[in-house]
Amino acid sequence: MAPTAAIADLQPYAPVVEGDWHRPHGPHRASFSVYGFRNTLGSFKAHFWAGERWESVRDHTDPQVRAELDALLRGLIWGGMDGEAEHVDPGFFRPAPAADATDPATRPAVDSGVLLARTPDSVRELAATSERLRPRLGVLRPAFDRYAATPGGWVGDFDAFADLLEDWDRVLSEAARRGWGLVGLSQ
């Protein structure tokens, strides 16, 4: 498998700089890097609330921007309007050839704490979507301010929403450039 960017400002024991990549120490350090999202306090809550804020805004946005942002967020953090979006690409984690998927003792325990797992191909698609959206995000500000702003809440204003999307853009761009997949982990 290609090196994977472990996405999560999730591991409180790892010294991660917000808004930057960190290469942890250890025997597998060449296999992954960790990105520290800004203003998340190491929590998935900001990502969850960004999806909730998007649901409040999406019906009040340009259809093309809505379609692109739906695709981006559905691929990363948002469950979609039906709550059924899958954030783990099939086949991303492969059991060992001799593993018996019905036997918990031999089944790989990769689902524990995995919030997101995207193959390099998916990452490239999401990065292209993010790149198309980047110059158009500002058009969301009026609708966000009117329908989704929650002063003091997680991702409570447009700037916090845009910052989170900017961080995702950085992650996707770098991972696509390196041919990495993405893994998002909970604590």
Side-chain angles (χ1 to χ4, degrees):
M1 180 187 305
T4 301
I7 304 310
D9 37 1
L10 12 128
Q11 301 177 14
Y13 53 85
V16 176
V17 176
E18 286 189 358
D20 203 0
W21 291 94
H22 170 72
R23 175 118 353 177
H25 297 290
H28 303 290
R29 66 177 268 122
S31 299
F32 68 98
S33 291
V34 176
Y35 185 83
F37 286 87
R38 296 173 289 160
N39 305 313
T40 63
L41 303 174
S43 174
F44 181 74
K45 288 180 183 178
H47 306 275
F48 168 81
W49 282 107
E52 294 293 301
R53 304 291 181 243
W54 174 238
E55 285 185 20
S56 298
V57 172
R58 67 183 298 280
D59 288 339
H60 308 284
T61 62
D62 172 86
Q64 286 182 314
V65 173
R66 179 175 50 238
E68 293 277 25
L69 200 47
D70 275 356
L72 180 67
L73 294 179
R74 194 178 307 113
L76 297 171
I77 59 173
W78 179 51
M81 292 306 290
D82 61 4
E84 300 286 324
E86 182 61 47
H87 297 115
V88 176
D89 285 336
F92 188 91
F93 297 108
R94 294 183 191 106
D100 176 359
T102 62
D103 179 2
T106 61
R107 189 174 53 230
V110 296
D111 59 343
S112 178
V114 174
L115 300 172
L116 168 75
R118 294 293 181 207
T119 64
D121 288 341
S122 290
V123 168
R124 280 188 291 279
E125 290 174 24
L126 290 166
T129 301
S130 184
E131 184 177 345
R132 288 188 303 272
L133 273 169
R134 191 179 315 131
R136 301 169 68 193
L137 280 179
V139 303
L140 297 173
R141 183 182 294 275
F144 193 101
D145 291 346
R146 182 168 182 188
Y147 299 104
T150 309
W154 284 96
V155 190
D157 62 31
F158 177 76
D159 290 332
F161 184 73
D163 285 349
L164 190 65
L165 291 177
E166 183 180 310
D167 277 0
W168 274 111
D169 185 60
R170 286 182 190 147
V171 167
L172 292 166
S173 296
E174 183 66 11
R177 184 182 74 76
R178 292 178 178 258
W180 284 350
L182 295 178
V183 176
L185 303 170
S186 67
Q187 297 189 59

